[in-house]
Amino acid sequence: MNILKHPALSQWQNQFSSTLFWRKQLKQSLLTLSGLLVFVLCWQLASSQIQTSLGQFPGPAQAAAQWSQLVDEYQAEKQREGAFYLRQQERHAAALAEDPTAELTSLPYRARPTFFSQILTSLQTVLTGFVLASLIAIPLGILIGLSSNLYQVFNPLIQLFKPISPLAWLPLVTLIVSSVDLSSAWGSRSFVVSVCTVMLCSLWPTLLNTAVGVSQVPQDLLNVSKVLRLSWWRHLRIIVLPSAVPMIFTGLRLSLGIAWMVLIAAEMLAQNPGLGKFVWDEFQNGSSDSLSRICVAVLVIGLLGFALDRLMLMLQRKVNWDKTAVSR
Amino acid sequence: MQKTHLELTQVGISFPTEKGPFVALQNVNLHIKKGEFVSLIGHSGCGKSTVLNIVAGLHQATAGGVILNHKEVTEPGPERAVVFQNHSLLPWLTVYQNVELAVKQQSDGKKTKAEIRDWVEHNLELVHMSHALDKRPNEISGGMKQRVGIARALAMQPEVLLMDEPFGALDALTRAHLQDSLMEIQAQLNTTVMMITHDVDEAVLLSDRIVMMTNGPAATIGEILTVDLPRPRHRLQLADDPSYNHYRHQVLSFLYEKQRKVEDLGSKRAEKQQSKTQASA
Ligand SMILES: Nc1ncnc2c1ncn2[C@@H]1O[C@H](COP(=O)(O)OP(=O)(O)O)[C@@H](O)[C@H]1O
Ligand SMILES: [Mg+2]
């Protein structure tokens, strides 16, 4: 009997490879942790050296304290909201007890924006802008990629618009939006301005990558399509789109990254009640807590951007046929 | 195997390039009978693929024309299936789906779902690929991919099967295996086959006629060799057959005496050497 095929041995090998796996995991998390530790140490050391007009620059400890304060504020606000509705219910019950036909007026609670509601607003705004941009960029990119003439028409325009900063768009967008009468279905004006700015800035990577992906379908596959005499629509659906999917996703990930960066700037200036406004308000506020609150916001902005990118990556892994093409 | 089926008359093509038109082919005349197996052999770059692509309808001849069943070929058609050099399977479809696409396209809604399924499976059976229906192309070997490419072409029930170096990238064992399968299938279906190869043994073993092409530019047909060996053919028996070796020798002498490319390479190397010394001077 071949000793290498002995069941006990193969079991041992399995165990060995699984410990190898855990070791790798352990090593990776240790490395990640040490990176974080270095960052926190540097932050601590640097912050003790920096004096600002608002006092000492906050270190990690102050930021952590501020974080729990923000959580407390959020919970307090939640409690106030609960209490408000409870009181309203009691009022209604009392009114009905007095007169069963009484007309009841329910008032919605006007919540003060907390840090967490601002995060939610930011996410809503960025996703709206990003989705709108993608809905425009992908179909347009496909059309441009299919025709080399269209590509030559649009390419200079794309190159022209791509590098424009959100800060340059914002005044124009604001003026246009305020000249248009908006129905309430669109939400507040500042929301529309932020969404439009995000859209205008995050359009281009998806547009360009889609066009390039579509125009780079291998000649072999185009020949297959011709030999099979696929109709225009099937050619697009069966050959062109799957072949361009990796490039489209590369564009989408770049776009989402840009959208998130642009959003913060847009919210600061458009006063959209999101993270950007939070940072701006704290900056204007200039209280002793402001700096550490801004530090918390900056970290949260980073974390959310990272999370959005991971989400995109997961989606890409799911949709992409070429599992090896998905990078980190 | 009687009347002319596929007819190339004075076919020529010139490609527009930056340095002016490049005449790749000139005066190509060839008559192929139904059920005939013709191979095209010649040095690389002489224009074999171009001939095949013109017959497939992927290129338009700029002179002369191709007639199939009394009709001029101007575009790809269902009666001409192509097996491409590098299999050209769609990487995002499974083996089954790749063949199914061709069958669906061919049946144009006339086949029921069950009929389509049967026909796809039948053709994959022919090339011995039934075990990998749900695999993606990147999960199977090169030989298997080429088999699927052949199944896809066969599933279209073509009158003419056009193959561009179908076994070029395969190892010798796999190639021998596929050659045998191809001979079997062709005997069974009596399909007309036009195959490009650069393998002399393959050409002699499989063909009824071997079309030998001169070197480009302006390549044309140099000689046509009729291989009069009885079928079915067996590679082992043929190895010692004097007439088999005679045919082999004729092709080899065409390629390496009459259409030497070696000289060409030698002179090119000399040119390169010269330009290098000039550059360094
Ligand atoms: N689309 C094209 N444009 C310009 N030249 C081409 C084109 N297709 C092929 N050629 C040229 O035609 C010649 C024959 O090419 P090809 O048929 O691919 O050769 P083979 O298949 O015999 O190796 C080559 O010199 C090649 O450079
Ligand atoms: Mg070729």
Side-chain angles (χ1 to χ4, degrees), chain A residues 217-231 234 237-244 320-324, chain B residues 53 56-58 76-78 80-82 84 86-93 98 101-102 104-106 136 138 152 156:
Chain A
V217 181
Q219 185 61 42
D220 287 333
L221 299 187
L222 295 180
N223 281 345
V224 169
S225 171
K226 280 189 201 153
V227 167
L228 293 181
R229 293 174 309 135
L230 298 180
S231 62
R234 299 199 86 199
R237 207 164 51 85
I238 296 173
I239 310 272
V240 173
L241 275 183
S243 171
N320 203 344
W321 48 271
D322 187 359
K323 304 293 177 207
T324 56
Chain B
N53 285 338
L58 292 170
R80 279 161 287 136
V82 185
F84 295 93
N86 41 4
H87 67 79
S88 299
L89 299 178
L90 305 184
W92 43 88
L93 298 185
N98 263 288
L101 177 64
K104 273 189 175 162
Q105 202 56 27
Q106 197 68 2
R136 295 273 168 96
N138 61 2
R152 177 173 65 184
M156 294 171 73

Side-chain angles (χ1 to χ4, degrees), chain B residues 43-50 53 85 164-165 196 198:
Chain B
H43 290 290
S44 80
C46 73
K48 305 180 295 289
S49 296
T50 309
N53 285 338
Q85 188 162 359
D164 192 345
E165 299 190 25
I196 295 173
H198 53 226

